[in-house]
Amino acid sequence: MELNTEEIGEVTVVSVLTQVIDAGNADDFKTGFASIVKGCKKIVLELSRVNFIDSSGCGSLLSCHRQIKSLGGDLKICGPQEMVRTLFDLVRMYRVVDIFDSKEEAVKAFLT
Amino acid sequence: MEKAKPLVLIVDDNPTNIDLLVNTLKMDYRLGIAKNGPTALDYAEKHMPDLILLDIMMPGMNGYEVCTRLKAATKTKDIPVIFITAMSEGGHKTRGFEVGALDYITKPFHAAEVKARVKTHLSLKKARDQEIYIASKIQKTLLLGRPPQNIRGIQIAHLTVASQRVDGDFYDFFKHSNQCFDIVVGDVMGKGIPAALLGAALKSHFLRVLNELSLSTHTDKPLEPAQIVSSVHTHMIDQLVDLETFVTLCYARFDMAKYLFSFVDCGHMRTIHFHDDTNRCVLLQGINMPLGFPEKEPFRQTAVHFKPGDLFVFYSDGLTESRDRDGNFYGEKRLVDFVQRNANIEPKNLITGIWNDIIAFSESETFDDDVTCVLVKIDIQDSREVFTEEDQLNIMSDLKELGRVRSFIRAFCAGIDVSLLDEKRLGMIELAATEVTANIIKHSYKERAGKPIQVNAKMWPDEVVFEFFDWGEGFDPESAPPPVFDGSRDDGFGLHIIAHTVDEVIYSREDQGKNCACLKIKLIGGN
C-alpha cells in the first residue's frame, strides 16, 4: 500500500497512491494509514488516484475514521472518482464522514 | 400449349343483332351472350372476357349504366368496351366515351368493320396485358428480395399481391453478419414498366452503394443507414428529377447484438413497432422527404431499442389504402389494431391474417395498388437459447485474486456497446463480483486457502450473467443482518451492495454441495 503524506498548516493530507482498496489489501491500508497519522488530529484522506474500493475498503476507511474520532481528531475525505463516490452513496458514507471534491476544500473545512 | 381464343361478350337485347354478330365473330373468337345489363355484369365478373360489345339501348339497365358499373369495379375496369349504337348522333358517342368506352360501331353492321375494330382493340389489350405481365415479372424477380437466412432470433414473413397495374413496390434485405441485417421497403411513384424498372434500378443502387462503401471503409462495421440512403440519393437524384417521379422508402437496420433498430424514413408509411412487454404499438415516423425531392438537409436517422417478443410491420400504401364498397380506406388504425390483437401468433400466420382481413374489408381480391407487407418478429425462445458469448475463470480462494476477477469481468464486457453498458455500470458490476468472491472466500471457505472458485460468464443480446460457484459451506442470504450505516461497523455492506449494483441476484445450492451466486445484468431496460 503506497501512501504519501503532505502537511498543509495543521492539516495532514494523506494521498493513496495505490489504485485499489479491496478485501485483498484493506488490512494493509488500515495498518499503514494508522502508523502514518499517529498523533495527527486534522487529517484529509485524498483518494483521487483510487479507481476501485469495495465494502472491505470502505470498512477500513470507517474504521480509521472511528479511531481518529475516538482520539479527539477528525478525518475528511476528498477527491473520490465516480466509481468510489457511487459506492460511498450506496453505503451512506456521507452520513458519517465529510466528503469533498478537492483537497483544497477539505483542508479549508478544517481551517474555518 | 396453344393459347385459347380471346373471349368476346356480346350484350344486346335484339336476337337478330345477336345472330349477326355471332356469325361475324364465331370463327375467330369464343363468344359469350348476355341479353340484358345485369346478366352482362354477372358474366363479366365471372368469366373476365377480353372484350365487350355493348348495346346502348336496352330495356332496364342501359348500356351506359352497364359500362359505368364495369369501370367502377377494380376487377372489370380494364376490360375494353365497344358500344353498339343505332344512333349515329355525336352526342351519344360522346357520352359513350365519357363512361369509359374505347370505341363504337354503328348499326347496321358491316361485317368487315366489326371484325377490324374487335381485332384492333384485342391487340391493344394484348399489348397492355403484355406490359403488365412484364412489369409484374420485373417486380417478382427484381423488386422483391429474399429474407436473409441464419439470423439468430428473428422470423421474417412477407407478402406481395401485385395489382393489375404494378406500381413499383419493392423490398430487399442486406445481411451484414449473423447478428445484423438491413431491410429496405419502398414504393416508386407511378405504375407499370417505368415504375418497376425504376424500383429495380434503385435496388441495384443500394447494392452498389453498400458494396462500394464497405470496400472503401475497410472496417467490419457496416455504414450507418443514413450514409447509405444519402449516397443512393446522390446517385439517383438526377434520374428521378428527369423522370419527374419520386420514391418513398424506409431503410432500417436490425442489430441483434445491441437490440437496436436504426432507420431512415423518407416519406414512407409509418412502421409499426409492437412492444411485447407493454402490448402496445408505436408508430415510427421519420422526417425525411422522399427520394427525388431536392433534399438540402442531411438524411436523419432514428434509433429505437427493441426486446425479445417485439414485432415490426413494414407495408406499402396499397395495403392501408385498400377500399371497401363505399370507398372507405382500410386505414392505418385498422392495421394497427389487427397487429396489436394478433401480434403473438406466428409471423406467417399473422401475415395471412392481415391479408384475410383486407379481403374481408374490401370484399375483393384485386386491388388498385400493389399490397406489400413485411413482418420482422424478434424471437423470444431463440434469443434465450443461444447466447452470443461465454467464458470461464477459475481461481483459488485468495483475496489477492480479486483483481483477476475484475479483469475477467471487464474483458468479458469489453465488446458491449457503451450505449448499453457504460463505464459507471461496469464499475458497479466489478464491485458486485468483488463482493461475491470476497464473501465466498471469507464465509463459504472461512478464509481457507487453496479452495476452488469458478466464474462462468454468459452474454445474450439483452443480458449478461455471471455465475460464481464454490464448494464451501454455502450461505443463506436471509440469515445475514441488515447493514448499519452509522459508521459503527466496518462490515456487513456486501449483500446490500450486490443487491443494489446488479438487476438480479440468485443464490442457490445443489445437493452435491455446489453453491452458486448468479448475478444478472440487463443491457436493455435495466437500472
Side-chain angles (χ1 to χ4, degrees):
Chain A
M1 178 62 59
E2 269 191 82
L3 301 170
N4 183 46
T5 317
E6 178 188 7
E7 301 290 336
I8 300 177
E10 297 179 315
V11 182
T12 306
V13 178
V14 180
S15 300
V16 181
L17 304 182
T18 308
Q19 291 184 341
V20 170
I21 310 174
D22 67 5
N25 64 2
D27 283 341
D28 295 351
F29 170 78
K30 222 160 36 176
T31 318
F33 186 74
S35 66
I36 282 182
V37 301
K38 197 173 258 178
C40 305
K41 292 277 188 249
K42 297 176 179 177
I43 302 150
V44 170
L45 179 64
E46 199 264 327
L47 295 176
S48 65
R49 290 178 191 77
V50 178
N51 58 32
F52 185 88
I53 298 183
D54 71 356
S55 70
S56 300
C58 248
S60 65
L61 299 185
L62 288 169
S63 163
C64 294
H65 177 259
R66 219 168 37 245
Q67 190 77 20
I68 291 161
K69 279 281 202 185
S70 72
L71 296 170
D74 197 8
L75 169 74
K76 297 181 193 300
I77 289 175
C78 71
Q81 293 186 17
E82 191 186 24
M83 184 274 147
V84 175
R85 190 172 275 279
T86 310
L87 171 72
F88 285 174
D89 287 347
L90 269 176
V91 299
R92 324 279 204 272
M93 194 79 161
Y94 53 86
R95 288 194 194 172
V96 182
V97 189
D98 294 333
I99 301 170
F100 299 89
D101 284 342
S102 71
K103 182 168 78 180
E104 290 69 28
E105 286 172 89
V107 171
K108 202 172 147 200
F110 269 121
L111 300 177
T112 51
Chain B
M1 194 183 77
E2 197 184 335
K3 240 191 135 209
K5 290 177 185 170
L7 175 64
V8 175
L9 172 64
I10 298 166
V11 188
D12 204 319
D13 60 321
N14 181 331
T16 317
N17 283 343
I18 292 175
D19 280 352
L20 272 168
L21 288 169
V22 167
N23 282 326
T24 308
L25 299 169
K26 67 180 178 193
M27 293 303 289
D28 301 312
Y29 307 106
R30 290 181 292 139
L31 299 174
I33 313 286
K35 290 187 175 171
N36 56 53
T39 316
L41 291 173
D42 282 351
Y43 187 96
E45 161 92 29
K46 217 170 173 181
H47 300 286
M48 290 297 291
D50 295 290
L51 185 136
I52 299 173
L53 289 169
L54 181 58
D55 187 24
I56 293 180
M57 297 303 288
M58 291 185 292
M61 192 188 289
N62 68 23
Y64 299 129
E65 197 177 341
V66 174
C67 189
T68 306
R69 291 194 183 203
L70 284 169
K71 296 295 160 190
T74 305
K75 191 171 175 188
T76 53
K77 70 179 193 299
D78 293 321
I79 303 173
V81 173
I82 300 176
F83 272 127
I84 303 163
T85 172
M87 303 162 291
S88 54
E89 302 90 63
H92 290 286
K93 286 177 205 156
T94 314
R95 178 131 188 243
F97 289 125
E98 275 168 11
V99 298
L102 286 181
D103 207 348
Y104 63 93
I105 297 169
T106 339
K107 288 187 262 192
F109 308 123
H110 299 285
E113 186 193 348
V114 171
K115 278 187 178 177
R117 290 196 191 269
V118 167
K119 191 179 172 193
T120 303
H121 286 289
L122 281 171
S123 32
L124 285 172
K125 176 167 191 289
K126 197 176 163 194
R128 282 194 302 275
D129 288 348
Q130 183 69 9
E131 174 176 332
I132 290 164
Y133 173 78
I134 292 170
S136 70
K137 198 86 180 162
I138 292 172
Q139 181 171 48
K140 283 199 192 89
T141 52
L142 296 177
L143 293 182
L144 309 177
R146 296 219 178 93
Q149 304 294 313
N150 304 325
I151 301 275
R152 277 189 200 134
I154 60 148
Q155 291 178 64
I156 298 175
H158 52 115
L159 167 87
T160 311
V161 179
S163 66
Q164 295 189 329
R165 298 202 196 143
V166 180
D167 60 349
D169 280 12
F170 65 92
Y171 57 75
D172 208 353
F173 307 88
F174 309 108
K175 181 177 168 182
H176 300 292
S177 72
N178 281 347
Q179 292 193 49
C180 182
F181 71 96
D182 296 351
I183 174 172
V184 59
V185 180
D187 187 357
V188 178
M189 167 75 185
K191 292 192 184 295
I193 292 180
L197 282 177
L198 189 59
L202 205 67
K203 257 187 60 177
S204 75
H205 266 292
F206 271 105
L207 278 171
R208 193 171 116 185
V209 164
L210 281 164
N211 199 22
E212 281 176 3
L213 294 182
S214 66
L215 285 176
S216 61
T217 51
H218 296 294
T219 61
D220 293 338
K221 207 171 175 286
L223 280 150
E224 292 298 319
Q227 293 171 281
I228 295 165
V229 173
S230 170
S231 188
V232 167
H233 184 253
T234 310
H235 277 99
M236 292 289 284
I237 180 69
D238 290 343
Q239 287 102 308
L240 289 167
V241 170
D242 275 354
L243 293 167
E244 296 181 341
T245 188
F246 62 87
V247 180
T248 68
L249 64 83
C250 177
Y251 190 100
R253 174 164 301 163
F254 285 89
D255 186 332
M256 301 301 293
K258 296 176 187 167
Y259 266 40
L260 194 67
F261 175 78
S262 315
F263 69 101
V264 177
D265 178 281
C266 303
H268 200 65
M269 308 307 290
R270 299 200 280 179
T271 302
I272 300 171
H273 177 191
F274 170 81
H275 291 257
D276 188 47
D277 54 353
T278 57
N279 208 41
R280 296 198 67 87
C281 288
V282 173
L283 293 159
L284 303 173
Q285 185 171 25
I287 47 160
N288 305 294
M289 299 298 277
L291 263 56
F293 284 51
E295 182 84 18
K296 293 280 188 297
E297 300 288 315
F299 286 93
R300 298 260 200 90
Q301 179 174 325
T302 312
V304 295
H305 279 293
F306 55 86
K307 293 178 280 302
D310 284 10
L311 172 76
F312 289 84
V313 182
F314 305 87
Y315 55 96
S316 64
D317 58 358
L319 194 158
T320 44
E321 289 173 11
S322 304
R323 291 169 191 267
D324 67 9
R325 276 167 187 259
D326 301 324
N328 300 309
F329 286 138
Y330 180 79
E332 183 184 73
K333 187 179 180 301
R334 183 162 171 148
L335 177 62
V336 168
D337 290 347
F338 189 89
V339 168
Q340 197 149 311
R341 278 199 312 276
N342 299 289
N344 289 318
I345 65 178
E346 286 280 297
K348 64 177 194 299
N349 295 338
L350 175 58
I351 213 158
T352 311
I354 291 172
W355 175 235
N356 289 336
D357 194 50
I358 296 167
I359 292 173
F361 174 81
S362 61
E363 299 175 71
S364 166
E365 287 191 41
T366 52
F367 296 96
D368 288 346
D369 285 336
D370 297 354
V371 174
T372 305
C373 185
V374 181
L375 304 183
V376 178
K377 168 103 174 182
I378 315 301
D379 241 58
I380 297 176
Q381 285 82 16
D382 279 13
S383 62
R384 303 317 310 158
E385 281 164 7
V386 185
F387 40 82
T388 50
E389 237 172 279
E390 73 176 323
D391 202 358
Q392 193 179 85
L393 171 76
N394 289 287
I395 57 166
M396 288 300 170
S397 54
D398 182 345
L399 291 172
K400 301 287 177 206
E401 295 278 77
L402 294 174
R404 268 183 73 200
V405 174
R406 288 194 293 274
S407 302
F408 171 75
I409 302 275
R410 185 163 285 270
F412 187 73
C413 294
I416 302 173
D417 193 83
V418 72
S419 69
L420 299 179
L421 186 69
D422 60 14
E423 176 57 34
K424 182 177 173 180
R425 236 176 125 208
L426 182 54
M428 290 302 103
I429 299 168
E430 287 184 305
L431 177 59
T434 304
E435 299 297 338
V436 170
T437 312
N439 275 346
I440 291 171
I441 296 169
K442 286 181 186 172
H443 303 298
S444 194
Y445 285 136
K446 309 277 183 224
E447 307 213 21
R448 284 190 301 269
K451 300 291 180 184
I453 298 172
Q454 188 185 95
V455 188
N456 283 353
K458 284 181 190 168
M459 192 186 300
W460 285 268
D462 62 337
E463 191 173 63
V464 181
V465 172
F466 294 102
E467 292 168 316
F468 297 76
F469 296 105
D470 73 83
W471 290 261
E473 290 181 20
F475 127 100
D476 173 18
E478 302 294 325
S479 69
V484 181
F485 296 119
D486 63 2
S488 63
R489 287 181 59 93
D490 304 343
D491 55 12
F493 300 121
L495 291 182
H496 169 78
I497 289 171
I498 296 164
H500 288 82
T501 43
V502 296
D503 293 295
E504 197 180 347
V505 195
I506 302 161
Y507 297 97
S508 58
R509 181 176 171 86
E510 288 179 10
D511 291 342
Q512 292 82 7
K514 183 181 179 183
N515 304 305
C516 177
C518 174
L519 305 183
K520 295 188 176 184
I521 299 102
K522 294 201 184 314
L523 298 176
I524 296 159
N527 54 30

